[in-house]
Amino acid sequence: MKRRVTKAIFPVAGLGTRFLPATKSVPKEIMTLVDRPLIQYAIDEARAAGIKEFIFVTSRGKSALEDYFDHAPELEASLRKKGKTELLETLKSTNMESGAIAYIRQHKALGLGHAVWCARRLIADEPFAVILPDDVIAAEKPCLQQMTEAYEDTGGCMVAAMEVPPEKASAYGVLDVKEDMGSLVAVKGMVEKPKADEAPSNLAVIGRYILTPDVLKNLNRMKSGSGGEIQLTDAIADELSAERNVYGLRFRGQRFDCGSKAGFLQATVAFGLARDELKTELSEYLEQMVAQQKAAQ
Ligand code: UTP
């Protein structure tokens, strides 16, 4: 029988301090790349991977997210009246089937591991995906789909992995590799934000996971880790101590760290250039800007 993953957790309860003051009233996940909020990219990727149940772990001030996935009868009626069928079609991707989406509150930002644990009762006893919407991945085949396909053969836990320059490794969870099988690696250890000279490799974990319910049990221990937070990496590493398998998948695609300003701006340019209606005007502008910068130096 094929292993299927049909539930995904979207932890969106972080404070988003790197985008203050904007995130004082706008959830980071509602910030837009071109014309779509970050959360829409995450939902589309999950749908492509066969996810049917979407669980959001939210916090105070995130109600804009709930509204985003609700129907907007007045807006829809007005567009219909004006014959704007294309825009109506665009809105469809924001609509969720009743009961397919659930919101759970994380009352205090105690860390990503804690946020995932908050959804434990909705996951019960099946494998599940975790998607961090601030990691946006441009890929021919959506990243989570690459992972669910690989997971059908491997089982266990799987994290999305990416080579980073060694000096950047201490900003990530880093894999200690047991066996390198090309795109797939078997893992023997994981360290969250290792010190510069202590990273076991330069293979970093980014925000896509397929996890077994055992990870939720590990999170029951509420062990605080790097930065005093309850880390998801530690709960996955506990699986290795229990001699259960963890894999990393070097996905094909380009990841943008939209939780950082530089990453968000890069993604805006990349997704803008990928749009037929924008690419000519935008690339001309960028060329002009670069020429002006060079001339000013
Ligand atoms: P980040 O480390 O990017 O934290 O969280 P943040 O609060 O969103 O942003 P900064 O660093 O203050 O700017 C990574 C992911 O984990 C979620 C965040 O919402 C984000 O999707 N998270 C983090 C939680 O849901 N709860 C937490 O307690 C911590």
Side-chain angles (χ1 to χ4, degrees), residues 10-20 23 28-29 57-58 62 106 108-116 131-135 193 229-230 257 259-260:
F10 301 82
V12 292
L15 299 173
T17 52
R18 283 171 286 173
F19 278 99
L20 282 171
T23 43
K28 180 167 65 172
E29 302 72 25
V57 182
T58 67
K62 301 272 181 171
Q106 184 191 27
K108 209 167 170 195
L110 295 175
L112 175 59
H114 181 263
V116 168
I131 297 188
L132 306 191
D134 41 10
D135 272 337
K193 300 194 175 59
E229 295 194 341
I230 297 165
D257 175 10
S260 79

PDB file of all heavy atoms in Angstrom, residues 10-20 23 28-29 57-58 62 106 108-116 131-135 193 229-230 257 259-260, ligand 1:
ATOM      1  N   PHE A  10       0.458  24.320   8.984  1.00  0.00           N
ATOM      2  CA  PHE A  10       1.098  25.573   8.595  1.00  0.00           C
ATOM      3  C   PHE A  10       1.323  26.389   9.868  1.00  0.00           C
ATOM      4  O   PHE A  10       0.382  27.007  10.368  1.00  0.00           O
ATOM      5  CB  PHE A  10       0.204  26.354   7.621  1.00  0.00           C
ATOM      6  CG  PHE A  10      -0.102  25.595   6.358  1.00  0.00           C
ATOM      7  CD1 PHE A  10      -1.115  24.643   6.322  1.00  0.00           C
ATOM      8  CD2 PHE A  10       0.645  25.812   5.202  1.00  0.00           C
ATOM      9  CE1 PHE A  10      -1.378  23.911   5.164  1.00  0.00           C
ATOM     10  CE2 PHE A  10       0.388  25.089   4.044  1.00  0.00           C
ATOM     11  CZ  PHE A  10      -0.620  24.141   4.027  1.00  0.00           C
ATOM     12  N   PRO A  11       2.527  26.367  10.412  1.00  0.00           N
ATOM     13  CA  PRO A  11       2.752  27.142  11.637  1.00  0.00           C
ATOM     14  C   PRO A  11       2.923  28.621  11.263  1.00  0.00           C
ATOM     15  O   PRO A  11       3.867  28.986  10.574  1.00  0.00           O
ATOM     16  CB  PRO A  11       4.067  26.573  12.191  1.00  0.00           C
ATOM     17  CG  PRO A  11       4.395  25.387  11.318  1.00  0.00           C
ATOM     18  CD  PRO A  11       3.722  25.611  10.014  1.00  0.00           C
ATOM     19  N   VAL A  12       1.976  29.440  11.703  1.00  0.00           N
ATOM     20  CA  VAL A  12       2.028  30.860  11.344  1.00  0.00           C
ATOM     21  C   VAL A  12       1.848  31.732  12.595  1.00  0.00           C
ATOM     22  O   VAL A  12       1.283  32.809  12.522  1.00  0.00           O
ATOM     23  CB  VAL A  12       0.962  31.214  10.268  1.00  0.00           C
ATOM     24  CG1 VAL A  12       1.303  30.569   8.951  1.00  0.00           C
ATOM     25  CG2 VAL A  12      -0.445  30.790  10.701  1.00  0.00           C
ATOM     26  N   ALA A  13       2.346  31.220  13.718  1.00  0.00           N
ATOM     27  CA  ALA A  13       2.119  31.927  14.980  1.00  0.00           C
ATOM     28  C   ALA A  13       3.330  32.747  15.419  1.00  0.00           C
ATOM     29  O   ALA A  13       3.328  33.336  16.489  1.00  0.00           O
ATOM     30  CB  ALA A  13       1.751  30.917  16.066  1.00  0.00           C
ATOM     31  N   GLY A  14       4.362  32.793  14.592  1.00  0.00           N
ATOM     32  CA  GLY A  14       5.570  33.552  14.959  1.00  0.00           C
ATOM     33  C   GLY A  14       5.281  35.045  14.999  1.00  0.00           C
ATOM     34  O   GLY A  14       4.261  35.519  14.498  1.00  0.00           O
ATOM     35  N   LEU A  15       6.193  35.777  15.606  1.00  0.00           N
ATOM     36  CA  LEU A  15       5.964  37.223  15.798  1.00  0.00           C
ATOM     37  C   LEU A  15       6.342  38.036  14.555  1.00  0.00           C
ATOM     38  O   LEU A  15       5.903  39.169  14.400  1.00  0.00           O
ATOM     39  CB  LEU A  15       6.769  37.716  17.001  1.00  0.00           C
ATOM     40  CG  LEU A  15       6.395  37.045  18.342  1.00  0.00           C
ATOM     41  CD1 LEU A  15       7.364  37.471  19.440  1.00  0.00           C
ATOM     42  CD2 LEU A  15       4.960  37.379  18.718  1.00  0.00           C
ATOM     43  N   GLY A  16       7.169  37.469  13.702  1.00  0.00           N
ATOM     44  CA  GLY A  16       7.558  38.172  12.473  1.00  0.00           C
ATOM     45  C   GLY A  16       8.293  39.468  12.751  1.00  0.00           C
ATOM     46  O   GLY A  16       8.089  40.477  12.067  1.00  0.00           O
ATOM     47  N   THR A  17       9.168  39.444  13.747  1.00  0.00           N
ATOM     48  CA  THR A  17       9.809  40.706  14.174  1.00  0.00           C
ATOM     49  C   THR A  17      10.688  41.331  13.089  1.00  0.00           C
ATOM     50  O   THR A  17      10.886  42.542  13.087  1.00  0.00           O
ATOM     51  CB  THR A  17      10.683  40.481  15.431  1.00  0.00           C
ATOM     52  OG1 THR A  17      11.560  39.393  15.170  1.00  0.00           O
ATOM     53  CG2 THR A  17       9.825  40.171  16.640  1.00  0.00           C
ATOM     54  N   ARG A  18      11.192  40.497  12.167  1.00  0.00           N
ATOM     55  CA  ARG A  18      12.084  41.079  11.147  1.00  0.00           C
ATOM     56  C   ARG A  18      11.332  41.980  10.179  1.00  0.00           C
ATOM     57  O   ARG A  18      11.946  42.711   9.421  1.00  0.00           O
ATOM     58  CB  ARG A  18      12.811  39.953  10.385  1.00  0.00           C
ATOM     59  CG  ARG A  18      13.950  39.363  11.200  1.00  0.00           C
ATOM     60  CD  ARG A  18      14.513  38.132  10.546  1.00  0.00           C
ATOM     61  NE  ARG A  18      13.609  36.989  10.683  1.00  0.00           N
ATOM     62  CZ  ARG A  18      13.783  35.824  10.088  1.00  0.00           C
ATOM     63  NH1 ARG A  18      14.818  35.647   9.288  1.00  0.00           N
ATOM     64  NH2 ARG A  18      12.928  34.837  10.281  1.00  0.00           N
ATOM     65  N   PHE A  19      10.016  41.904  10.198  1.00  0.00           N
ATOM     66  CA  PHE A  19       9.248  42.776   9.295  1.00  0.00           C
ATOM     67  C   PHE A  19       8.452  43.839  10.041  1.00  0.00           C
ATOM     68  O   PHE A  19       7.496  44.382   9.506  1.00  0.00           O
ATOM     69  CB  PHE A  19       8.333  41.945   8.393  1.00  0.00           C
ATOM     70  CG  PHE A  19       9.056  41.388   7.206  1.00  0.00           C
ATOM     71  CD1 PHE A  19       9.513  40.090   7.205  1.00  0.00           C
ATOM     72  CD2 PHE A  19       9.314  42.186   6.101  1.00  0.00           C
ATOM     73  CE1 PHE A  19      10.204  39.573   6.123  1.00  0.00           C
ATOM     74  CE2 PHE A  19      10.001  41.693   5.006  1.00  0.00           C
ATOM     75  CZ  PHE A  19      10.443  40.379   5.012  1.00  0.00           C
ATOM     76  N   LEU A  20       8.857  44.121  11.288  1.00  0.00           N
ATOM     77  CA  LEU A  20       8.209  45.248  11.977  1.00  0.00           C
ATOM     78  C   LEU A  20       8.658  46.547  11.315  1.00  0.00           C
ATOM     79  O   LEU A  20       9.783  46.618  10.831  1.00  0.00           O
ATOM     80  CB  LEU A  20       8.617  45.240  13.454  1.00  0.00           C
ATOM     81  CG  LEU A  20       7.871  44.216  14.316  1.00  0.00           C
ATOM     82  CD1 LEU A  20       8.489  44.125  15.698  1.00  0.00           C
ATOM     83  CD2 LEU A  20       6.382  44.570  14.419  1.00  0.00           C
ATOM     84  N   THR A  23       4.497  44.032  10.361  1.00  0.00           N
ATOM     85  CA  THR A  23       3.850  42.871  10.985  1.00  0.00           C
ATOM     86  C   THR A  23       3.154  43.206  12.312  1.00  0.00           C
ATOM     87  O   THR A  23       2.624  42.323  12.974  1.00  0.00           O
ATOM     88  CB  THR A  23       4.877  41.741  11.189  1.00  0.00           C
ATOM     89  OG1 THR A  23       6.080  42.330  11.695  1.00  0.00           O
ATOM     90  CG2 THR A  23       5.180  41.020   9.898  1.00  0.00           C
ATOM     91  N   LYS A  28       2.705  38.211   8.554  1.00  0.00           N
ATOM     92  CA  LYS A  28       3.777  38.040   7.551  1.00  0.00           C
ATOM     93  C   LYS A  28       3.272  37.225   6.368  1.00  0.00           C
ATOM     94  O   LYS A  28       3.603  37.498   5.217  1.00  0.00           O
ATOM     95  CB  LYS A  28       4.949  37.337   8.244  1.00  0.00           C
ATOM     96  CG  LYS A  28       6.136  37.068   7.386  1.00  0.00           C
ATOM     97  CD  LYS A  28       7.363  36.665   8.208  1.00  0.00           C
ATOM     98  CE  LYS A  28       7.207  35.344   8.939  1.00  0.00           C
ATOM     99  NZ  LYS A  28       8.476  34.903   9.576  1.00  0.00           N
ATOM    100  N   GLU A  29       2.438  36.236   6.654  1.00  0.00           N
ATOM    101  CA  GLU A  29       1.978  35.307   5.603  1.00  0.00           C
ATOM    102  C   GLU A  29       1.011  35.958   4.625  1.00  0.00           C
ATOM    103  O   GLU A  29       0.697  35.395   3.581  1.00  0.00           O
ATOM    104  CB  GLU A  29       1.292  34.098   6.245  1.00  0.00           C
ATOM    105  CG  GLU A  29       2.145  33.323   7.216  1.00  0.00           C
ATOM    106  CD  GLU A  29       2.395  34.040   8.549  1.00  0.00           C
ATOM    107  OE1 GLU A  29       1.569  34.893   8.946  1.00  0.00           O
ATOM    108  OE2 GLU A  29       3.414  33.749   9.195  1.00  0.00           O
ATOM    109  N   VAL A  57      -1.654  26.899  12.553  1.00  0.00           N
ATOM    110  CA  VAL A  57      -1.388  27.226  13.950  1.00  0.00           C
ATOM    111  C   VAL A  57      -1.166  28.731  13.995  1.00  0.00           C
ATOM    112  O   VAL A  57      -0.162  29.229  13.477  1.00  0.00           O
ATOM    113  CB  VAL A  57      -0.168  26.462  14.490  1.00  0.00           C
ATOM    114  CG1 VAL A  57       0.046  26.795  15.966  1.00  0.00           C
ATOM    115  CG2 VAL A  57      -0.352  24.958  14.306  1.00  0.00           C
ATOM    116  N   THR A  58      -2.128  29.423  14.579  1.00  0.00           N
ATOM    117  CA  THR A  58      -2.102  30.890  14.512  1.00  0.00           C
ATOM    118  C   THR A  58      -1.881  31.503  15.893  1.00  0.00           C
ATOM    119  O   THR A  58      -1.727  30.792  16.879  1.00  0.00           O
ATOM    120  CB  THR A  58      -3.432  31.443  13.950  1.00  0.00           C
ATOM    121  OG1 THR A  58      -4.460  31.177  14.902  1.00  0.00           O
ATOM    122  CG2 THR A  58      -3.798  30.802  12.630  1.00  0.00           C
ATOM    123  N   LYS A  62      -3.851  37.407  13.783  1.00  0.00           N
ATOM    124  CA  LYS A  62      -3.719  36.716  12.495  1.00  0.00           C
ATOM    125  C   LYS A  62      -5.071  36.496  11.819  1.00  0.00           C
ATOM    126  O   LYS A  62      -5.217  35.637  10.950  1.00  0.00           O
ATOM    127  CB  LYS A  62      -3.017  35.361  12.688  1.00  0.00           C
ATOM    128  CG  LYS A  62      -1.622  35.454  13.290  1.00  0.00           C
ATOM    129  CD  LYS A  62      -0.559  35.630  12.228  1.00  0.00           C
ATOM    130  CE  LYS A  62       0.823  35.702  12.875  1.00  0.00           C
ATOM    131  NZ  LYS A  62       1.914  35.661  11.919  1.00  0.00           N
ATOM    132  N   GLN A 106      -1.730  28.990  19.039  1.00  0.00           N
ATOM    133  CA  GLN A 106      -0.564  28.823  19.909  1.00  0.00           C
ATOM    134  C   GLN A 106      -0.569  30.072  20.796  1.00  0.00           C
ATOM    135  O   GLN A 106      -0.421  31.191  20.285  1.00  0.00           O
ATOM    136  CB  GLN A 106       0.732  28.757  19.090  1.00  0.00           C
ATOM    137  CG  GLN A 106       1.952  28.479  19.944  1.00  0.00           C
ATOM    138  CD  GLN A 106       3.265  28.661  19.198  1.00  0.00           C
ATOM    139  OE1 GLN A 106       3.352  29.432  18.240  1.00  0.00           O
ATOM    140  NE2 GLN A 106       4.305  27.970  19.625  1.00  0.00           N
ATOM    141  N   LYS A 108       1.410  31.214  23.068  1.00  0.00           N
ATOM    142  CA  LYS A 108       2.669  31.907  23.290  1.00  0.00           C
ATOM    143  C   LYS A 108       3.670  31.379  22.276  1.00  0.00           C
ATOM    144  O   LYS A 108       3.689  30.170  22.014  1.00  0.00           O
ATOM    145  CB  LYS A 108       3.149  31.579  24.712  1.00  0.00           C
ATOM    146  CG  LYS A 108       3.967  32.664  25.319  1.00  0.00           C
ATOM    147  CD  LYS A 108       4.142  32.418  26.795  1.00  0.00           C
ATOM    148  CE  LYS A 108       5.185  33.391  27.310  1.00  0.00           C
ATOM    149  NZ  LYS A 108       5.675  33.034  28.618  1.00  0.00           N
ATOM    150  N   ALA A 109       4.482  32.261  21.703  1.00  0.00           N
ATOM    151  CA  ALA A 109       5.445  31.823  20.676  1.00  0.00           C
ATOM    152  C   ALA A 109       6.619  31.108  21.336  1.00  0.00           C
ATOM    153  O   ALA A 109       7.683  31.686  21.579  1.00  0.00           O
ATOM    154  CB  ALA A 109       5.922  33.025  19.862  1.00  0.00           C
ATOM    155  N   LEU A 110       6.408  29.827  21.648  1.00  0.00           N
ATOM    156  CA  LEU A 110       7.444  29.067  22.372  1.00  0.00           C
ATOM    157  C   LEU A 110       8.370  28.314  21.428  1.00  0.00           C
ATOM    158  O   LEU A 110       9.222  27.561  21.867  1.00  0.00           O
ATOM    159  CB  LEU A 110       6.771  28.082  23.343  1.00  0.00           C
ATOM    160  CG  LEU A 110       5.976  28.714  24.490  1.00  0.00           C
ATOM    161  CD1 LEU A 110       5.270  27.644  25.312  1.00  0.00           C
ATOM    162  CD2 LEU A 110       6.893  29.554  25.379  1.00  0.00           C
ATOM    163  N   GLY A 111       8.174  28.485  20.134  1.00  0.00           N
ATOM    164  CA  GLY A 111       9.055  27.833  19.173  1.00  0.00           C
ATOM    165  C   GLY A 111       8.274  27.009  18.150  1.00  0.00           C
ATOM    166  O   GLY A 111       7.097  26.682  18.371  1.00  0.00           O
ATOM    167  N   LEU A 112       8.949  26.705  17.046  1.00  0.00           N
ATOM    168  CA  LEU A 112       8.303  25.967  15.957  1.00  0.00           C
ATOM    169  C   LEU A 112       7.829  24.586  16.415  1.00  0.00           C
ATOM    170  O   LEU A 112       6.726  24.139  16.061  1.00  0.00           O
ATOM    171  CB  LEU A 112       9.297  25.838  14.780  1.00  0.00           C
ATOM    172  CG  LEU A 112       8.848  24.998  13.608  1.00  0.00           C
ATOM    173  CD1 LEU A 112       7.574  25.536  12.989  1.00  0.00           C
ATOM    174  CD2 LEU A 112       9.962  24.938  12.549  1.00  0.00           C
ATOM    175  N   GLY A 113       8.653  23.905  17.230  1.00  0.00           N
ATOM    176  CA  GLY A 113       8.266  22.574  17.719  1.00  0.00           C
ATOM    177  C   GLY A 113       6.972  22.667  18.511  1.00  0.00           C
ATOM    178  O   GLY A 113       6.046  21.857  18.333  1.00  0.00           O
ATOM    179  N   HIS A 114       6.879  23.667  19.341  1.00  0.00           N
ATOM    180  CA  HIS A 114       5.678  23.846  20.163  1.00  0.00           C
ATOM    181  C   HIS A 114       4.463  24.148  19.280  1.00  0.00           C
ATOM    182  O   HIS A 114       3.362  23.636  19.520  1.00  0.00           O
ATOM    183  CB  HIS A 114       5.915  24.973  21.179  1.00  0.00           C
ATOM    184  CG  HIS A 114       4.753  25.210  22.084  1.00  0.00           C
ATOM    185  ND1 HIS A 114       3.830  26.203  21.842  1.00  0.00           N
ATOM    186  CD2 HIS A 114       4.342  24.566  23.203  1.00  0.00           C
ATOM    187  CE1 HIS A 114       2.913  26.167  22.790  1.00  0.00           C
ATOM    188  NE2 HIS A 114       3.194  25.181  23.630  1.00  0.00           N
ATOM    189  N   ALA A 115       4.675  24.953  18.233  1.00  0.00           N
ATOM    190  CA  ALA A 115       3.567  25.292  17.320  1.00  0.00           C
ATOM    191  C   ALA A 115       3.021  24.014  16.669  1.00  0.00           C
ATOM    192  O   ALA A 115       1.807  23.807  16.607  1.00  0.00           O
ATOM    193  CB  ALA A 115       4.036  26.282  16.258  1.00  0.00           C
ATOM    194  N   VAL A 116       3.912  23.147  16.223  1.00  0.00           N
ATOM    195  CA  VAL A 116       3.483  21.898  15.577  1.00  0.00           C
ATOM    196  C   VAL A 116       2.749  21.014  16.595  1.00  0.00           C
ATOM    197  O   VAL A 116       1.701  20.432  16.298  1.00  0.00           O
ATOM    198  CB  VAL A 116       4.717  21.174  14.962  1.00  0.00           C
ATOM    199  CG1 VAL A 116       4.375  19.755  14.543  1.00  0.00           C
ATOM    200  CG2 VAL A 116       5.243  21.982  13.770  1.00  0.00           C
ATOM    201  N   ILE A 131       4.553  22.827   6.572  1.00  0.00           N
ATOM    202  CA  ILE A 131       5.032  23.798   5.574  1.00  0.00           C
ATOM    203  C   ILE A 131       5.206  25.155   6.246  1.00  0.00           C
ATOM    204  O   ILE A 131       4.262  25.665   6.857  1.00  0.00           O
ATOM    205  CB  ILE A 131       4.002  23.949   4.420  1.00  0.00           C
ATOM    206  CG1 ILE A 131       3.845  22.621   3.690  1.00  0.00           C
ATOM    207  CG2 ILE A 131       4.410  25.055   3.462  1.00  0.00           C
ATOM    208  CD1 ILE A 131       3.008  22.709   2.428  1.00  0.00           C
ATOM    209  N   LEU A 132       6.392  25.719   6.153  1.00  0.00           N
ATOM    210  CA  LEU A 132       6.595  27.083   6.648  1.00  0.00           C
ATOM    211  C   LEU A 132       6.402  28.037   5.472  1.00  0.00           C
ATOM    212  O   LEU A 132       7.201  28.025   4.525  1.00  0.00           O
ATOM    213  CB  LEU A 132       8.004  27.252   7.227  1.00  0.00           C
ATOM    214  CG  LEU A 132       8.438  26.258   8.304  1.00  0.00           C
ATOM    215  CD1 LEU A 132       9.739  26.727   8.952  1.00  0.00           C
ATOM    216  CD2 LEU A 132       7.366  26.064   9.349  1.00  0.00           C
ATOM    217  N   PRO A 133       5.343  28.843   5.524  1.00  0.00           N
ATOM    218  CA  PRO A 133       5.019  29.660   4.349  1.00  0.00           C
ATOM    219  C   PRO A 133       6.080  30.710   4.014  1.00  0.00           C
ATOM    220  O   PRO A 133       6.095  31.217   2.898  1.00  0.00           O
ATOM    221  CB  PRO A 133       3.706  30.345   4.734  1.00  0.00           C
ATOM    222  CG  PRO A 133       3.211  29.615   5.916  1.00  0.00           C
ATOM    223  CD  PRO A 133       4.361  28.984   6.600  1.00  0.00           C
ATOM    224  N   ASP A 134       6.959  31.048   4.981  1.00  0.00           N
ATOM    225  CA  ASP A 134       7.955  32.066   4.611  1.00  0.00           C
ATOM    226  C   ASP A 134       9.112  31.482   3.807  1.00  0.00           C
ATOM    227  O   ASP A 134       9.927  32.233   3.270  1.00  0.00           O
ATOM    228  CB  ASP A 134       8.424  32.927   5.798  1.00  0.00           C
ATOM    229  CG  ASP A 134       8.632  32.142   7.058  1.00  0.00           C
ATOM    230  OD1 ASP A 134       8.602  30.904   6.971  1.00  0.00           O
ATOM    231  OD2 ASP A 134       8.818  32.772   8.118  1.00  0.00           O
ATOM    232  N   ASP A 135       9.185  30.178   3.686  1.00  0.00           N
ATOM    233  CA  ASP A 135      10.091  29.584   2.700  1.00  0.00           C
ATOM    234  C   ASP A 135       9.276  29.363   1.430  1.00  0.00           C
ATOM    235  O   ASP A 135       8.405  28.489   1.386  1.00  0.00           O
ATOM    236  CB  ASP A 135      10.629  28.226   3.187  1.00  0.00           C
ATOM    237  CG  ASP A 135      11.888  28.384   4.022  1.00  0.00           C
ATOM    238  OD1 ASP A 135      12.573  29.421   3.872  1.00  0.00           O
ATOM    239  OD2 ASP A 135      12.192  27.492   4.823  1.00  0.00           O
ATOM    240  N   LYS A 193      20.837  25.273  14.474  1.00  0.00           N
ATOM    241  CA  LYS A 193      21.741  26.429  14.555  1.00  0.00           C
ATOM    242  C   LYS A 193      23.074  26.095  15.240  1.00  0.00           C
ATOM    243  O   LYS A 193      23.395  26.623  16.322  1.00  0.00           O
ATOM    244  CB  LYS A 193      21.051  27.596  15.266  1.00  0.00           C
ATOM    245  CG  LYS A 193      19.790  28.030  14.523  1.00  0.00           C
ATOM    246  CD  LYS A 193      19.257  29.360  14.983  1.00  0.00           C
ATOM    247  CE  LYS A 193      18.090  29.824  14.146  1.00  0.00           C
ATOM    248  NZ  LYS A 193      16.918  28.939  14.115  1.00  0.00           N
ATOM    249  N   GLU A 229      13.986  27.942  22.671  1.00  0.00           N
ATOM    250  CA  GLU A 229      12.701  27.583  22.051  1.00  0.00           C
ATOM    251  C   GLU A 229      12.538  26.063  21.950  1.00  0.00           C
ATOM    252  O   GLU A 229      13.532  25.338  21.936  1.00  0.00           O
ATOM    253  CB  GLU A 229      12.627  28.178  20.638  1.00  0.00           C
ATOM    254  CG  GLU A 229      12.616  29.691  20.636  1.00  0.00           C
ATOM    255  CD  GLU A 229      12.214  30.268  19.294  1.00  0.00           C
ATOM    256  OE1 GLU A 229      12.287  29.545  18.275  1.00  0.00           O
ATOM    257  OE2 GLU A 229      11.825  31.453  19.275  1.00  0.00           O
ATOM    258  N   ILE A 230      11.297  25.614  21.865  1.00  0.00           N
ATOM    259  CA  ILE A 230      11.047  24.182  21.644  1.00  0.00           C
ATOM    260  C   ILE A 230      11.216  23.942  20.149  1.00  0.00           C
ATOM    261  O   ILE A 230      10.443  24.455  19.332  1.00  0.00           O
ATOM    262  CB  ILE A 230       9.656  23.788  22.170  1.00  0.00           C
ATOM    263  CG1 ILE A 230       9.635  24.027  23.691  1.00  0.00           C
ATOM    264  CG2 ILE A 230       9.335  22.333  21.830  1.00  0.00           C
ATOM    265  CD1 ILE A 230       8.275  24.026  24.308  1.00  0.00           C
ATOM    266  N   ASP A 257      14.062  32.842   1.093  1.00  0.00           N
ATOM    267  CA  ASP A 257      13.772  33.039   2.509  1.00  0.00           C
ATOM    268  C   ASP A 257      12.965  34.322   2.669  1.00  0.00           C
ATOM    269  O   ASP A 257      13.526  35.397   2.890  1.00  0.00           O
ATOM    270  CB  ASP A 257      15.090  33.117   3.298  1.00  0.00           C
ATOM    271  CG  ASP A 257      14.843  33.437   4.760  1.00  0.00           C
ATOM    272  OD1 ASP A 257      13.667  33.402   5.196  1.00  0.00           O
ATOM    273  OD2 ASP A 257      15.820  33.726   5.479  1.00  0.00           O
ATOM    274  N   GLY A 259      11.181  35.186   4.992  1.00  0.00           N
ATOM    275  CA  GLY A 259      11.135  35.675   6.371  1.00  0.00           C
ATOM    276  C   GLY A 259      12.183  36.752   6.584  1.00  0.00           C
ATOM    277  O   GLY A 259      12.229  37.396   7.628  1.00  0.00           O
ATOM    278  N   SER A 260      13.073  36.931   5.596  1.00  0.00           N
ATOM    279  CA  SER A 260      14.095  37.987   5.686  1.00  0.00           C
ATOM    280  C   SER A 260      13.820  39.027   4.600  1.00  0.00           C
ATOM    281  O   SER A 260      13.253  38.707   3.553  1.00  0.00           O
ATOM    282  CB  SER A 260      15.492  37.397   5.506  1.00  0.00           C
ATOM    283  OG  SER A 260      15.753  37.175   4.133  1.00  0.00           O
TER     284      SER A 260
HETATM  285  P1  UTP B   1      10.745  32.310  12.398  1.00  0.00           P
HETATM  286  O1  UTP B   1      11.966  31.789  13.004  1.00  0.00           O
HETATM  287  O2  UTP B   1      10.836  32.899  11.038  1.00  0.00           O
HETATM  288  O3  UTP B   1      10.110  33.365  13.396  1.00  0.00           O
HETATM  289  O4  UTP B   1       9.670  31.145  12.422  1.00  0.00           O
HETATM  290  P2  UTP B   1       9.034  34.482  13.130  1.00  0.00           P
HETATM  291  O5  UTP B   1       8.468  34.870  14.435  1.00  0.00           O
HETATM  292  O6  UTP B   1       8.028  34.058  12.096  1.00  0.00           O
HETATM  293  O7  UTP B   1       9.853  35.708  12.496  1.00  0.00           O
HETATM  294  P3  UTP B   1      11.007  36.651  13.120  1.00  0.00           P
HETATM  295  O8  UTP B   1      12.235  35.795  13.216  1.00  0.00           O
HETATM  296  O9  UTP B   1      10.534  37.177  14.440  1.00  0.00           O
HETATM  297  O10 UTP B   1      11.122  37.724  12.094  1.00  0.00           O
HETATM  298  C1  UTP B   1       9.624  30.147  11.437  1.00  0.00           C
HETATM  299  C2  UTP B   1       8.194  29.656  11.286  1.00  0.00           C
HETATM  300  O11 UTP B   1       7.730  29.090  12.506  1.00  0.00           O
HETATM  301  C3  UTP B   1       6.548  29.733  12.938  1.00  0.00           C
HETATM  302  C4  UTP B   1       6.569  31.090  12.258  1.00  0.00           C
HETATM  303  O12 UTP B   1       5.257  31.606  12.133  1.00  0.00           O
HETATM  304  C5  UTP B   1       7.227  30.768  10.925  1.00  0.00           C
HETATM  305  O13 UTP B   1       6.297  30.213   9.999  1.00  0.00           O
HETATM  306  N1  UTP B   1       6.567  29.822  14.427  1.00  0.00           N
HETATM  307  C6  UTP B   1       7.727  30.139  15.061  1.00  0.00           C
HETATM  308  C7  UTP B   1       5.419  29.562  15.142  1.00  0.00           C
HETATM  309  O14 UTP B   1       4.346  29.271  14.566  1.00  0.00           O
HETATM  310  N2  UTP B   1       5.470  29.627  16.504  1.00  0.00           N
HETATM  311  C8  UTP B   1       6.609  29.946  17.166  1.00  0.00           C
HETATM  312  O15 UTP B   1       6.584  29.976  18.418  1.00  0.00           O
HETATM  313  C9  UTP B   1       7.765  30.206  16.435  1.00  0.00           C
END
